[in-house]
Amino acid sequence: MKRITRLLAAILLAGVAGASATSAMAESKGAKIFVIGGKADDPFWSKVKKGADDAGKVAELTGGSVTWLGPQNYDNLGPDAAKLIRTALSQNPSAIVGPDWVPEAMDDAFKEVVAAGVPLIIYNSGGMDAAKRLGAMNYVGNEEYTAGLGGGAYYGSHGAKNVLCVNTLPGATNTEDRCKGIADAIAKSGGKSSQLPLPSSSFGNPTAVAEAIKAAVLKDASIDGVITISAGDANSAANAIGQANVGDKVKLASFDMDETGLQRIKDGKQMFSIDQQPYLQGYLAVSLLNGFVNYGLDLPTKPVLTGPGIVDAANVDATLAGATAGAR
């Protein structure tokens, strides 16, 4: 009888503990995470957003939310992004994710986030140097200069001597680092690279980008490589190279990729793309902050790198499957 009584008591206590835990979960507001990113219709940033949204589904299960904030255009990128950071901070967030595109315009806003005691992760642009400088928890993403070095080395090993790096977001830390990496690496094999900076208003304008590239390759017959800072610009570059009738000499490449570019690689019309796995940038940054806010979880790995990687004819088929799903 006493044994039965003790068993019943244990069951009742377990029930009370379970009810308390359930009640605590119900009362928890979860992690209210704000993500600063690119334009909603930017093909690259749509992949980042998909990753953030997918991670957000886990946050929602614990009563949290993920809110995406992006600029209307890239004409005034740094100041506009700083405003978005301050908008997020004004909403009493649990955590913020953001790229350090233009440090001189954005760093003060990020410092306000940290000063307010809000956990911050820098992603996509800025690297671990920016995360340390700003007091952020971590950096998630690519190391852009390293990515540029990889691209320049690839060009050099395949005989390129004069590569044009097309930059439609001049002044942004990540794009400048990309083009610098290309130039530094190809120089080691006796080649050279120059930058073609275009107004940021040209970003996403295929006609303007194509015309500028066409004019450049026709003006300088020694150009034997063109690399763009985005997949969309690579599509414009492919048109320009075709219109200039220099496809047999000028080898195209791009930072980042889409299905069209991957198909060009498969068809032998583009040499390679440099992949930074944007889906993982959004997914991992949100997941890390959700785990930290809810459970105090943190990774000793700093930074968390999602790239770079080279996609060429050797591995394009496997990559196409991910692109079809909207994640590569």
Side-chain angles (χ1 to χ4, degrees):
M1 185 68 179
K2 289 182 179 179
R3 184 178 179 183
I4 294 174
T5 302
R6 286 197 298 269
L7 181 59
L8 288 172
I11 292 171
L12 287 171
L13 285 172
V16 170
S20 297
T22 302
S23 176
M25 287 288 286
E27 292 172 1
S28 172
K29 295 180 180 179
K32 186 179 179 183
I33 301 171
F34 283 79
V35 182
I36 313 301
K39 291 169 52 182
D41 61 350
D42 183 326
F44 174 86
W45 284 99
S46 68
K47 299 180 182 72
V48 181
K49 186 175 185 300
K50 177 175 171 56
D53 288 344
D54 285 354
K57 294 173 184 176
V58 177
E60 290 168 5
L61 291 174
T62 53
S65 63
V66 174
T67 301
W68 182 273
L69 299 176
Q72 294 298 311
N73 55 59
Y74 298 139
D75 295 348
N76 198 32
L77 184 59
D80 286 349
K83 290 178 183 177
L84 292 176
I85 296 165
R86 293 187 171 104
T87 295
L89 185 57
S90 72
Q91 301 301 307
N92 299 313
S94 302
I96 291 177
V97 181
D100 197 22
W101 286 317
V102 187
E104 58 269 27
M106 299 171 66
D107 278 8
D108 284 348
F110 278 131
K111 289 176 182 177
E112 291 170 21
V113 172
V114 175
V118 176
L120 170 68
I121 282 183
I122 300 298
Y123 79 146
N124 177 258
S125 178
M128 198 63 207
D129 287 344
K132 290 178 179 177
R133 182 178 71 247
L134 298 170
M137 285 175 52
N138 209 333
Y139 172 74
V140 177
N142 197 35
E143 291 185 331
E144 302 294 0
Y145 179 68
T146 303
L149 289 175
Y154 191 99
Y155 262 127
S157 68
H158 287 76
K161 294 299 181 184
N162 185 6
V163 174
L164 188 69
C165 186
V166 182
N167 190 352
T168 49
L169 288 174
T173 301
N174 56 336
T175 60
E176 294 290 342
D177 285 349
R178 290 177 175 188
C179 288
K180 186 177 188 307
I182 292 287
D184 288 351
I186 199 169
K188 293 180 180 179
S189 60
K192 66 177 182 177
S193 177
S194 59
Q195 186 177 150
L196 176 63
L198 300 178
S200 56
S201 57
S202 297
F203 189 92
N205 184 334
T207 301
V209 175
E211 287 299 320
I213 295 171
K214 179 182 176 181
V217 297
L218 288 176
K219 182 179 179 180
D220 185 351
S222 71
I223 292 174
D224 55 7
V226 170
I227 187 166
T228 65
I229 60 139
S230 74
D233 288 343
N235 297 334
S236 302
N239 290 334
I241 289 169
Q243 292 169 14
N245 197 29
V246 292
D248 57 337
K249 179 187 68 173
V250 178
K251 303 305 179 185
L252 176 62
S254 71
F255 288 89
D256 306 322
M257 57 200 184
D258 59 14
E259 286 188 76
T260 303
L262 291 172
Q263 190 61 50
R264 278 197 302 270
I265 293 174
K266 187 175 176 65
D267 294 341
K269 297 178 180 179
Q270 179 168 326
M271 184 177 283
F272 67 95
S273 288
I274 303 174
D275 183 24
Q276 59 173 306
Q277 301 185 109
Y279 174 90
L280 279 182
Q281 293 179 15
Y283 186 87
L284 292 176
V286 169
S287 296
L288 288 172
L289 284 175
N290 185 57
F292 179 78
V293 171
N294 285 322
Y295 315 116
L297 300 174
D298 194 9
L299 283 181
T301 303
K302 301 176 190 296
V304 177
L305 296 179
T306 63
I310 296 288
V311 177
D312 60 10
N315 59 355
V316 67
D317 286 335
T319 309
L320 269 167
T324 301
R328 295 295 297 275

